Amino acid sequence: GFHLSGTVTEPATATEPEMTYKVAISFDRCKITSVTCGCGNKDIFYCAHVVALSLYRIRKPDQVKLRLPISETLFQMNRDQLQKFVQYLITAHHTEVLPTAQKLADEILSSNSEINQVHGAPDPTAGASIDDENCWHLDEEQVREQVKLFLSQGGYYGSGKQLNSMFAKVREMLRMRDSNGARMLTLITEQFMADPRLSLWRQQGTGITEKCRQLWDELGALWVCVVLNPHCKLEEKSCWLRQLRKWGEMDVCPLEDGNYGNELPNITNALTQSSGHSQDSLARPRRTVFTRAIEGCDLHWQDSHLQRIISSDFYVSPSYQREGESLLFNSHGQPLWLEHVPTACARVDALRSHGYPREALRLTVAIINTLRLQQQRQLEIYKHQKKELLQRGATTITNLEGWVGHPLNPIGCLFLTLTEACRLEEENCLEISDAGDSKPPVYQHVPVATSSQDSSESYLSLALEVALMGMGQQRVMPEGLYAQDKVCRNEEQIIARLQDLELDPVLVQTLRKQCILLLEGGPFSGLGEVIHRESVPMHTFAKYLFSALLPHDADLAYKLALRAMRLPVLETTAPSGDVTHPHHLVSVVPSRYPRWFTLGHLESQQCELASTMLTAAKGDMLRLRTVLEAIQKNIHSSSLIFKLAQDAFKIATPADSNSDTTLLNVALELGLQVMRMTLSTLNWRRREMVRWLVTCATEVGVRALVSILQSWYSLFTPTEATSIVAATVMSHNTILRLSLDYPQREELASCARTLALQCAMKDPQNCALSALTLCEKDHIAFETAYQIVIDAASTGMTYTQLFTIARYMEHRGYPLRAFKLASLAMTHLNLAYNQDTHPAINDVLWACALSHSLGKNELAAIIPLVVKSVHCATVLSDILRRCTMTAPGLAGIPGRRNSGKLMSTDKAPLRQLLDATISAYINTTHSRLTHISPRHYGEFIEFLSKARETFLLAQDGHIQFAQFIDNLKQIYKGKKKLMLLVRERFG
């Protein structure tokens, strides 16, 4: 009858021995209603042993002995047989059964027990009564446990995938019309609502994580499917409605548009909002992920027109009614379905999900016929308003509810319904390739089943048409990060599906026709001539259209992609939408940037579209010009324009063939624009951009280099122009790369020198040295540059810059000029007594050595400057020592006599230096003694020894030093330990 039992043997493996399991299955009206198995495996699906036993019974029905229900067999036994039966049964299972048997015996012998109030006894093998609920076995506890486990893993370890496969299981159950589908979804939802993270996210006001959000969306969509089941009972529906309302009223229930608290409109935004669609966000009712399903409970399938649409392919209006306007049929007599589009598509999804594919297709065709009619009517309306709208340059007409990114995914749903009807199921379609991806589907044209004569229509061409219509719909960008992100994600999903379609002539014709309609579609199309400022951009969609159309109709492809390049939300002033104000006037209300969280992504998509066009237009001067103009007009980010310039350069200079000059010029022009855009703003990539531009100009040729050198001031700072641009242009590598003749080399060099002098005038501090270097080969230019340095030295330059240029001059063989600059540098310097490690010390020593080598006069000129600027005793004594070691004037300046005698410290100019050094030692000593600690005593004694060496260079030096020491002992007699050390060393 209704109970199947058997033993299943699992063969031994390398690690496990052979196992035998006892399996029992109850079934009722072709459904398995309960299962038990000795393996103890807990899962929401049946274990392998239950499946094995069921298949055995299905495949070999004659091998399974069919018996009467056990109650019938017992009925045929007499008293002795019954006693024997019970005792043998208890003996066979005495450990498990004995306690139960004893309890039942007690109850039967007690006259007023519950068991004796009921007539008869239960029989598990006899099956259920006709009125009992019958549904497939579902281990509810297991469903709960698994969902709880996957949710607790928070989307990690593939748990998101597992939950998605549970959703897929629900869809499969619905398709098989298994009533457990809704039960399983209820269990899943209860666990989702009990997720402890919900209240945490709500308290913190943060959004639900991305992965989790998508699962909640699918949950909401599945409930819409469940409540729209065309054949569910009323009581089932009211039960679901109660549940959905209960969940929706819980404060942790996620909202439809994504986040919790932080999605309230920003007050300042609300004030300056140009479009009225979000001013009333505060007043809007709270919409949760279940709101659409709750609304879906009000829908029914009783409408007679709807019933006729879904039940026949040949439902048309009688021909005599086809003249006037009709809400039910179009002019060909095909039925229309005028419901709100996402709702109508939810019906299609429900039909498809509940296993009514033909009905779903019929309704889809009616919806598409309705959309076509609306598209035609909108086109006619636009023709009447065109002049006014073009004058205004903007439109307030747009759809507030977009179909792409909509919670019910209407376009995706129609597209899937149509393409599923066209799939070629290959023999091995279940095999999955090594990479783990399933192969892209293969489609064939299946003619639309209808009585109309238009035989060229196939479900596949309708799928393409409806996807293009939906993607091209002009719509306002929704509010909130999640909703905006969903628009991008949904668009990418639809495009990925479109890319699976092989475009044959039929589909190309559909594509062209729809593209022309989108271009002419006015404010109802996102590709129309005028759009709303906050319209969702069409870049991603246009990039697909461009690539798809290009081989078949290049003119249309470019027209469309160029139209789509705009991004009006970034234009500086929002056209007021009021005809009385021409839109070039800045409106009183400051233009607000709406909160577009995905703006970065959208701008990069705009850049991708431009890059795709540039690549395709390579070699075509006219097309490249128009693309370039579109980029310059519409792209406002310097880093994106730089990326485009680099892309163009890469494509224009392939490694294996000649450069393409047309595209190279575009790359250069974009590069120049980037230079102008970033000249006065800080950009961390600026150096890289400048270097790249020179590389690009070099590739274009000598005229481009001359041009950037001549107009440097509009492109570069003086430092960039001299140290990067001119230096690179004049480098040996560039001259080799361009293989220039002598006149060309001269022209470049002349331009570089002119630039160098202009930069040195403008910014001598940073450009003087580069200018001198660039002008080395031209006497007049070099002299001019030197004069600029001398003029700037007294006011605008630091000692470091002057010393650097002075050393350069000495290196170039201009020692007297070097001396002059070094002297100027000395006047800017000031070294305190304790700065004995100052970086300028080397420069000072070098300057003194240079003066000494030039002769007595130069040394006499620089010593007063040194004495004035340097107060550090050790540095002064070092200079003194060096000056007394060799005779001055050893550089041998032509025309000068040199005595070759060493100089005396008693006479000028060294006398002045010696006095200054002694005085510096005395001052430094006093300074050090004011705050000296015992651990520095040893170091201090060494310092005094050095001082003595300097004192002794003077004629009465030993007397001066002795007086100095006595003085110290007198003043600092309190520092007994230190003075003891002084006595020990100096007496």
Side-chain angles (χ1 to χ4, degrees), residues 61-334:
D62 45 344
Q63 306 273 329
V64 179
K65 199 165 182 186
L66 199 59
R67 303 174 186 277
L68 285 171
I70 198 83
S71 49
E72 294 288 327
T73 313
L74 294 175
F75 188 70
Q76 293 166 15
M77 296 183 188
N78 61 25
R79 179 150 190 342
D80 288 349
Q81 287 172 314
L82 279 170
Q83 173 131 14
K84 199 171 202 169
F85 172 76
V86 172
Q87 283 182 250
Y88 267 99
L89 182 62
I90 291 171
T91 308
H93 299 285
H94 66 272
T95 49
E96 296 111 290
V97 174
L98 195 55
T100 312
Q102 190 61 63
K103 180 167 161 272
L104 284 174
D106 293 347
E107 285 188 17
I108 286 170
L109 291 174
S110 155
S111 59
N112 57 353
S113 69
E114 203 176 318
I115 240 177
N116 286 325
Q117 312 299 315
V118 181
H119 183 71
D123 177 359
T125 62
S129 98
I130 191 74
D131 306 326
D132 284 2
E133 262 292 295
N134 68 320
C135 59
W136 287 87
H137 169 68
L138 177 71
D139 187 338
E140 300 197 355
E141 197 38 53
Q142 260 325 101
V143 174
R144 286 192 195 95
E145 285 305 309
Q146 293 230 318
V147 178
K148 199 170 175 178
L149 172 70
F150 295 144
L151 281 174
S152 70
Q153 293 169 349
Y156 302 104
Y157 321 111
S159 59
K161 247 194 190 122
Q162 304 279 7
L163 287 164
N164 272 319
S165 76
M166 288 178 93
F167 289 148
K169 189 75 191 162
V170 171
R171 281 196 182 271
E172 189 189 326
M173 288 164 141
L174 297 180
R175 201 164 49 249
M176 306 304 291
R177 303 182 200 163
D178 171 356
S179 59
N180 270 337
R183 256 174 81 210
M184 181 152 157
L185 188 59
T186 303
L187 297 168
I188 293 174
T189 310
E190 280 168 352
Q191 290 310 310
F192 264 69
M193 289 301 297
D195 187 343
R197 291 176 301 168
L198 287 182
S199 53
L200 197 70
W201 284 323
R202 189 170 178 275
Q203 284 160 10
Q204 296 168 345
T206 51
I208 297 178
T209 58
E210 187 58 30
K211 280 180 177 153
C212 218
R213 244 335 309 191
Q214 291 171 22
L215 293 167
W216 274 102
D217 280 353
E218 176 63 1
L219 194 68
L222 269 173
W223 271 114
V224 174
C225 252
V226 167
V227 302
L228 280 181
N229 177 354
H231 295 298
C232 71
K233 300 191 188 83
L234 262 176
E235 55 269 25
E236 274 184 306
K237 203 184 250 194
S238 54
C239 169
W240 294 329
L241 182 59
R242 274 198 307 280
Q243 270 182 338
L244 290 164
R245 282 199 172 128
K246 186 186 84 190
W247 291 325
E249 281 159 11
M250 291 167 74
D251 54 3
V252 293
C253 186
L255 304 182
E256 184 177 74
D257 65 359
N259 296 0
Y260 288 114
N262 58 358
E263 282 307 292
L264 286 175
N266 169 321
I267 296 301
T268 54
N269 271 0
L271 290 176
T272 58
Q273 204 112 20
S274 48
S275 53
H277 76 279
S278 53
Q279 261 163 337
D280 55 355
S281 349
L282 287 168
R284 280 184 305 194
R286 176 171 176 269
R287 291 187 68 86
T288 72
V289 284
F290 300 117
T291 304
R292 301 222 175 230
I294 292 169
E295 291 166 351
C297 290
D298 295 338
L299 298 175
H300 60 80
W301 297 82
Q302 269 68 59
D303 183 281
S304 59
H305 181 56
L306 177 61
Q307 283 300 326
R308 289 195 188 108
I309 290 174
I310 63 178
S311 53
S312 160
D313 289 324
F314 307 108
Y315 172 43
V316 290
S317 70
S319 52
Y320 60 83
Q321 284 181 354
R322 292 185 191 174
E323 282 316 302
E325 285 280 293
S326 158
L327 292 176
L328 301 183
F329 301 93
N330 65 13
S331 58
H332 302 298
Q334 296 164 311

Side-chain angles (χ1 to χ4, degrees), residues 565-689:
M565 272 294 290
R566 61 202 168 183
L567 187 51
V569 78
L570 288 185
E571 300 307 331
T572 43
T573 58
S576 56
D578 173 358
V579 194
T580 55
H581 292 87
H583 66 266
H584 55 261
L585 288 178
V586 180
S587 61
V588 187
V589 179
S591 137
R592 73 175 189 92
Y593 280 161
R595 298 169 73 196
W596 281 30
F597 299 95
T598 50
L599 195 57
H601 170 75
L602 297 171
E603 283 190 282
S604 68
Q605 289 301 304
Q606 182 189 30
C607 179
E608 287 286 305
L609 173 61
S611 184
T612 308
M613 284 197 278
L614 283 176
T615 311
K618 179 177 172 177
D620 184 333
M621 203 55 237
L622 276 174
R623 292 234 197 267
L624 280 173
R625 246 321 103 206
T626 46
V627 176
L628 180 65
E629 281 162 17
I631 291 168
Q632 289 171 331
K633 183 181 167 196
N634 293 300
I635 297 184
H636 303 283
S637 149
S638 56
S639 53
L640 288 176
I641 296 179
F642 183 50
K643 184 187 177 301
L644 280 173
Q646 289 175 302
D647 287 354
F649 182 76
K650 245 183 229 137
I651 303 156
T653 51
D656 48 0
S657 63
N658 294 338
S659 299
D660 177 84
T661 48
T662 55
L663 198 49
L664 256 182
N665 281 308
V666 168
L668 179 64
E669 204 155 326
L670 289 170
L672 293 172
Q673 188 184 346
V674 172
M675 288 298 108
R676 288 189 285 268
M677 286 170 87
T678 55
L679 179 57
S680 54
T681 54
L682 287 172
N683 188 308
W684 60 277
R685 295 182 67 190
R686 175 78 189 172
R687 276 184 81 79
E688 176 198 351
M689 289 168 168

Side-chain angles (χ1 to χ4, degrees), residues 490-507:
N490 194 202
E491 190 171 39
E492 279 156 14
Q493 286 162 348
I494 296 171
I495 288 173
R497 294 226 169 95
L498 284 173
Q499 281 164 338
D500 287 339
L501 302 180
E502 282 281 324
L503 292 181
D504 58 12
V506 177
L507 293 182

Side-chain angles (χ1 to χ4, degrees), residues 692-943:
W692 178 87
L693 185 83
V694 179
T695 309
C696 180
T698 307
E699 206 59 44
V700 173
V702 70
R703 303 286 4 122
L705 289 175
V706 168
S707 167
I708 64 169
L709 290 174
Q710 286 175 343
S711 56
W712 70 267
Y713 46 85
S714 66
L715 303 168
F716 315 108
T717 63
T719 318
E720 291 167 345
T722 50
S723 63
I724 306 178
V725 182
T728 313
V729 171
M730 296 311 296
S731 70
H732 189 57
N733 283 353
T734 307
I735 289 162
L736 278 182
R737 175 87 190 83
L738 289 169
S739 51
L740 303 177
D741 56 23
Y742 181 73
Q744 288 174 317
R745 278 205 302 252
E746 270 313 289
E747 183 187 12
L748 266 187
S750 162
C751 288
R753 289 193 290 267
T754 309
L755 169 147
L757 294 174
Q758 289 170 342
C759 293
M761 285 292 284
K762 204 172 165 81
D763 182 3
Q765 288 196 333
N766 296 307
C767 302
L769 185 59
S770 304
L772 286 163
T773 314
L774 286 164
C775 295
E776 279 171 1
K777 292 200 172 76
D778 183 289
H779 178 68
I780 297 173
F782 188 76
E783 289 304 313
T784 313
Y786 173 65
Q787 200 49 53
I788 292 169
V789 176
I790 296 297
D791 293 345
S794 54
T795 52
M797 297 182 77
T798 65
Y799 62 80
T800 316
Q801 291 162 337
L802 288 168
F803 275 132
T804 309
I805 298 171
R807 289 190 168 207
Y808 162 81
M809 281 294 181
E810 188 201 27
H811 178 69
R812 297 277 306 140
Y814 294 105
L816 288 168
R817 289 182 175 185
F819 167 72
K820 185 170 184 180
L821 288 165
S823 305
L824 287 167
M826 287 301 294
T827 61
H828 293 276
L829 179 68
N830 188 16
L831 277 189
Y833 76 91
N834 56 355
Q835 289 184 298
D836 50 0
T837 56
H838 194 281
I841 291 171
N842 279 333
D843 289 320
V844 174
L845 294 174
W846 167 80
C848 293
L850 171 71
S851 312
H852 186 261
S853 73
L854 289 173
K856 201 168 175 180
N857 294 346
E858 282 76 14
L859 191 61
I862 206 156
I863 280 177
L865 300 176
V866 172
V867 168
K868 194 173 173 194
S869 301
V870 180
H871 307 286
C872 181
T874 49
V875 177
L876 289 169
S877 65
D878 201 1
I879 295 170
L880 189 62
R881 190 177 51 78
R882 289 169 189 233
C883 289
T884 53
M885 280 166 64
T886 54
L890 294 179
I893 300 286
R896 283 200 189 178
R897 286 178 59 237
N898 175 15
S899 68
K901 279 187 194 160
L902 290 177
M903 291 173 77
S904 159
T905 52
D906 290 342
K907 298 201 185 99
L910 292 190
R911 178 69 208 228
Q912 192 187 355
L913 182 60
L914 177 60
D915 290 348
T917 310
I918 289 173
S919 149
Y921 268 119
I922 292 170
N923 291 338
T924 307
T925 303
H926 288 299
S927 296
R928 288 179 73 163
L929 282 172
T930 50
H931 44 75
I932 192 166
S933 68
R935 60 198 176 96
H936 291 125
Y937 286 175
E939 199 186 310
F940 177 73
I941 297 296
E942 290 311 310
F943 174 75

Side-chain angles (χ1 to χ4, degrees), residues 447-463:
V448 175
T450 144
S451 58
S452 91
Q453 297 312 303
D454 187 2
S455 56
S456 71
E457 283 206 337
S458 79
Y459 291 121
L460 203 54
S461 61
L462 285 188

Side-chain angles (χ1 to χ4, degrees), residues 366-401:
I367 293 171
I368 290 175
N369 282 327
T370 312
L371 290 177
R372 283 172 170 170
L373 189 64
Q374 284 173 352
Q375 197 177 39
Q376 279 310 117
R377 286 194 183 148
Q378 286 169 349
L379 210 57
E380 282 155 27
I381 295 170
Y382 172 55
K383 279 183 186 146
H384 292 285
Q385 300 175 328
K386 189 170 181 174
K387 199 172 167 195
E388 180 202 332
L389 283 170
L390 286 177
Q391 222 175 352
R392 209 191 302 170
T395 174
T396 47
I397 311 162
T398 180
N399 299 288
L400 292 184
E401 184 178 50

